[in-house]
Amino acid sequence: MLFVVPGPDAPVSGGNRYNDGVIEALGARRVELAALDARSLEAERVVWLDSLYLMHAPRVRACARRASLGLLAHALPSQLARAEGRADEALEAHERALLALFDHAIAPSETMREWLAERAPALRTSVVGPAVHKRTARREMPLTALMVANLLPNKGVLPFLQALSPRADDAFTLRIVGRVDLDREYAAQCLAYAEPRIVFTDGMPFEALLDEYARAHVLVSASRSESYGMAIAEARASGCLVLARAGGHVARLLDPHDTLVHDDRALAEALLGLVRDPAACARRLAGVVPLPVRGWSEVARELMRV
């Protein structure tokens, strides 16, 4: 069994973390698309391909000719285009044609399974959710909010910052953790909002990110579309409140004490409402039921059953 996925030095994302966790748990073989050739596919009965590569039609077809082809459906190119406001009928038609070459798909959520069913009704799809980790909470006032998002348009960081207009006496810290080098023009617009209360960190190791969840009172998600929402799940496992913009699987991950909104202004107002009413924030935090944790070995066993 071969996994065709981005290499370990690829940008941190939920999909890449899923790949790395499963491959390590299985002790499976991996290859990057650029290194894929006929020799890589020798004696392979099953090849799992990251959905990131759906745009590479010749390589997808080459895999399908030699092995049973499975899809690790983290995000579809057409889905990302729609999240950025770029509906593209030609892209969707191309995507549907390639999806017909796959024998099976693994989706991280029921939401992603539904999206695949709309585009490829005949494709067999199984839901195998990711691992969820946690740290024991150790929070101190003033309120700390966390965003975990690479600075890319589909993550919605810029319009959220444009909507956020804190008063001079609002005591909080907003920590934004994510790569700043993937879309430099967009990132520069986001970084212009840096101030003592709004701090950007250009990514960090996963263990350090778990510590960020433990210190945060609130996770803010401005993403336009999530096929799962790993940052939300891990914030919830660590007992954070979540303030999220609706999009994709997000609503299915939230606790009743969390807040789901439909625009950036409402998201900013929800955060400032907690900042300005610490007692209400504390009451809601106390009522949150943390999401259960699970490890990559459990995820890998589920995938092998598929």
Side-chain angles (χ1 to χ4, degrees):
M1 184 165 58
L2 177 68
F3 287 81
V4 183
V5 299
D9 58 343
V12 175
S13 69
N16 288 337
R17 279 193 46 215
Y18 189 111
N19 296 339
D20 294 344
V22 165
I23 291 168
E24 183 177 354
L26 291 173
R29 197 160 69 91
R30 72 188 294 162
V31 63
E32 295 183 52
L33 188 72
L36 186 67
D37 54 26
R39 186 170 182 178
S40 305
L41 296 168
E42 286 178 4
E44 291 295 343
R45 294 181 58 195
V46 180
V47 174
W48 289 99
L49 191 78
D50 190 298
S51 54
L52 175 72
Y53 298 141
L54 279 174
M55 297 305 297
H56 299 268
R59 302 246 179 172
V60 174
R61 293 192 177 101
C63 288
R65 285 194 294 269
R66 290 177 170 84
S68 177
L69 195 57
L71 181 70
L72 296 170
H74 301 308
L76 300 176
S78 64
Q79 172 196 349
L80 294 175
R82 285 183 177 275
E84 295 175 9
R86 299 183 292 105
D88 187 331
E89 292 184 5
L91 172 61
E92 293 185 16
H94 169 88
E95 195 173 84
R96 288 190 184 96
L98 286 185
L99 287 172
L101 301 175
F102 288 83
D103 297 297
H104 206 113
I106 296 293
S109 68
E110 187 63 26
T111 301
M112 189 70 206
R113 188 199 65 75
E114 292 167 358
W115 285 339
L116 283 170
E118 291 176 3
R119 291 162 175 78
L123 179 61
R124 292 180 297 153
T125 303
S126 301
V127 176
V128 181
V132 179
H133 301 85
K134 66 171 286 186
R135 282 281 192 273
T136 301
R138 49 182 189 278
R139 303 183 177 100
E140 298 178 0
M141 295 303 287
L143 183 143
T144 297
L146 175 67
M147 294 186 81
V148 180
N150 294 325
L151 300 188
L152 294 167
N154 66 295
K155 293 300 182 182
V157 178
L158 179 59
F160 170 74
L161 291 174
Q162 290 169 335
L164 185 67
S165 300
R167 297 187 304 232
D169 61 346
D170 286 331
F172 72 97
T173 299
L174 171 61
R175 296 181 57 77
I176 302 174
V177 178
R179 290 277 294 270
V180 303
D181 59 343
L182 303 177
D183 183 331
R184 293 187 182 278
E185 182 178 349
Y186 183 85
Q189 294 179 70
C190 295
L191 292 169
Y193 286 86
E195 54 148 298
R197 292 173 297 184
I198 300 175
V199 180
F200 292 85
T201 301
D202 185 12
M204 61 176 57
F206 178 61
E207 294 298 318
L209 180 57
L210 287 178
D211 290 334
E212 293 288 338
Y213 291 127
R215 286 190 287 266
H217 300 79
V218 179
L219 180 91
V220 179
S221 173
S223 178
R224 272 42 189 163
S225 181
E226 290 289 347
S227 57
Y228 180 75
M230 199 174 287
I232 293 173
E234 286 171 335
R236 284 230 30 233
S238 296
C240 293
L241 278 174
V242 176
L243 310 178
R245 196 180 191 276
H249 193 64
V250 170
R252 288 169 158 165
L253 285 175
L254 299 187
D255 181 89
H257 293 84
D258 295 331
T259 299
L260 185 70
V261 300
H262 295 274
D263 62 75
D264 297 293
R265 183 167 296 281
L267 188 60
E269 289 173 353
L271 174 59
L272 293 175
L274 293 177
V275 170
R276 294 164 185 169
D277 192 345
C281 181
R283 286 194 301 271
R284 289 173 61 183
L285 268 170
V288 168
V289 177
L291 207 64
V293 300
R294 74 189 205 131
W296 288 113
S297 58
E298 182 179 345
V299 177
R301 284 194 297 271
E302 287 185 26
L303 193 143
M304 289 304 295
R305 283 197 291 272
V306 170

